[in-house]
Amino acid sequence: MDVRGDDGRGGRAQGGGSAPGRPEIPDSMRAWVRETYGPAEGVRLQELPTPRPGRGEVLLRVRATALNAGDVRLLRGDPLLVRLVYGLTRPRFPVRGMDVAGTVVALGAGVGGIGLGDEVVAELRGGGGLAEYATVPADRLAIRPAGVDAALAACVPIAAGTAWQAWDAAGLATGPADGVGGSGGRVLVLGASGGVGTFAVQIAVLRGAEVWATCGERSRGLVEGLGATRVFDHRAEGEAGEGLDALAAASFDAVIDIAGRVPVRRLQRLVRDGGRVVLVTGDGGRLLGPVPRMMRAALCSIGSRRRVVSLAAQPHAELTRDVLSLMARGRIAPVVEREAAFAQAGDALVQVSGGRVRGKVVVRVAGGV
């Protein structure tokens, strides 16, 4: 299909007619699409009808979209269990990208407190961010502070939100509501160099924790620079998890596992009585994914003073606002390995699907900051 730019496309004004101060919204838009489940290499740039906001929704002109590991899993329909929600035979959301920063260009019925032209950040329902326009429920929006770049702001909703909720699930003492200060004990973060991990280290440091972290050798300096006291590769001594055996039992108040490959019992050994292991992710089979590991975690917690908690992070606009506020004050910053142009979004998805990304990969969809 011929893919055109903004020039030469028909347009309609917000609300169905032109009006002073209201942006022109084209009838069609460019989007990166995969209509069937499969690898990221199959995503193609196509032209689709521009969506319209429903009741309680707004339409965004997308400025930037941050990619997540979840985008790759949903592209593949892996594990098969997710297809019960996202489409049995083909994806319900053929356009990937769940974290966006954008400009509000149209309002659905019943939307209040948001105005045209507002610069916002949101986690979309299911996807749609690798497109020029996307709809999102108004209650998922957070205003982007002045001075916080759109590409950096787009990194926040899923990655920072998950890291923050993992800290809360760890049940440790916290500082003030803005996340600064406090006495957070000693925390071990496994898989600290990815999008969630880099936020988890920074949030733990802000909360007053002594942070130990694991990552690959090439990311050691990066994670140390985020404030980790000790950084090592838990895989260095052989198969996954063996490197942790060198650590004394009951060394930590909490373990936050983002790597997902270490046996649950081995992690449980590392926390003190009353401490917690928080599983942010987990490997599993083609059918059920992390569900068997989550069940093992529940069994390990029975009768134990060292609980293992499986995190099911949820969209949380208030947390997004809190992290954006910290970013505006220079207290926290996303780690971005690559910022890609919209025309390179397919390659960016392939890069994320290959794993071992340090921090985030972001696609700049529209101009501006």
Side-chain angles (χ1 to χ4, degrees), residues 59 74 89 99 106 234 271 342 352 368:
L59 179 68
L74 292 177
T89 60
D99 282 350
H234 65 267
V271 295
F342 188 56
V352 174

Side-chain angles (χ1 to χ4, degrees), residues 92-185:
R92 288 177 54 204
F93 303 97
V95 179
R96 294 290 355 112
M98 294 181 282
D99 282 350
V100 300
T103 307
V104 176
V105 294
L107 307 176
V111 173
I114 296 292
L116 296 179
D118 282 352
E119 296 294 336
V120 297
V121 182
E123 178 183 341
L124 305 182
R125 286 191 297 204
L130 286 180
E132 293 175 307
Y133 293 88
T135 57
V136 60
D139 60 8
R140 292 196 175 196
L141 297 176
I143 297 296
R144 174 163 63 93
V148 176
D149 180 78
L152 295 180
C155 298
V156 169
I158 289 179
T162 299
W164 198 300
Q165 290 175 65
W167 174 268
D168 288 343
L172 298 176
T174 60
D178 66 357
V180 180
S183 178

Side-chain angles (χ1 to χ4, degrees), residues 301-356:
S301 295
I302 296 175
S304 175
R305 298 193 60 199
R306 303 174 180 183
R307 291 187 56 199
V308 183
V309 180
S310 297
L311 179 68
Q314 300 297 319
H316 205 308
E318 184 176 351
L319 288 184
T320 298
R321 286 191 288 269
D322 288 344
V323 175
L324 290 171
S325 176
L326 289 169
M327 287 173 59
R329 288 181 282 149
R331 301 307 301 267
I332 197 169
V335 173
V336 177
E337 178 166 295
R338 177 186 180 187
E339 182 180 311
F342 188 56
Q344 301 169 323
D347 290 338
L349 271 172
V350 171
Q351 180 180 355
V352 174
S353 70
R356 302 188 182 279

Side-chain angles (χ1 to χ4, degrees), residues 49-296:
T50 303
R52 298 174 182 245
R55 172 169 288 277
E57 295 182 332
V58 304
L59 179 68
L60 300 183
R61 175 73 164 105
V62 179
R63 290 192 178 277
T65 297
L67 302 179
N68 295 279
D71 288 307
V72 174
R73 289 194 293 270
L74 292 177
L75 268 176
R76 297 170 177 164
D78 183 22
L80 295 176
L81 183 65
V82 305
R83 301 189 186 193
L84 295 177
V85 176
Y86 292 98
L88 288 176
T89 60
R90 56 196 304 118
R92 288 177 54 204
F93 303 97
V95 179
R96 294 290 355 112
M98 294 181 282
D99 282 350
V100 300
T103 307
V104 176
V105 294
L107 307 176
V111 173
I114 296 292
L116 296 179
D118 282 352
E119 296 294 336
V120 297
V121 182
E123 178 183 341
L124 305 182
R125 286 191 297 204
L130 286 180
E132 293 175 307
Y133 293 88
T135 57
V136 60
D139 60 8
R140 292 196 175 196
L141 297 176
I143 297 296
R144 174 163 63 93
V148 176
D149 180 78
L152 295 180
C155 298
V156 169
I158 289 179
T162 299
W164 198 300
Q165 290 175 65
W167 174 268
D168 288 343
L172 298 176
T174 60
D178 66 357
V180 180
S183 178
R186 180 186 287 173
V187 179
L188 174 63
V189 179
L190 278 74
S193 62
V196 176
T198 50
F199 275 117
V201 171
Q202 293 180 79
I203 290 169
V205 170
L206 286 174
R207 292 292 200 175
E210 176 189 340
V211 182
W212 293 28
T214 77
C215 63
E217 183 60 34
R218 79 181 185 104
S219 301
R220 181 187 295 269
L222 166 67
V223 176
E224 290 175 341
L226 298 176
T229 300
R230 178 179 171 186
V231 181
F232 61 100
D233 187 344
H234 65 267
R235 303 162 300 178
E237 296 179 23
E239 296 298 325
E242 287 184 4
L244 299 179
D245 289 342
L247 301 177
S251 296
F252 300 95
D253 297 288
V255 172
I256 297 175
D257 178 25
I258 306 164
R261 295 179 175 86
V262 181
V264 172
R265 289 288 189 189
R266 188 168 289 168
L267 298 179
Q268 194 176 29
R269 179 188 72 86
L270 295 175
V271 295
R272 303 184 177 107
D273 284 352
R276 296 183 184 179
V277 175
V278 180
L279 306 181
V280 176
T281 186
D283 283 352
R286 178 81 170 107
L287 178 61
L288 298 178
V291 172
R293 192 167 190 252
M294 295 166 63
M295 295 175 65
R296 287 194 296 273

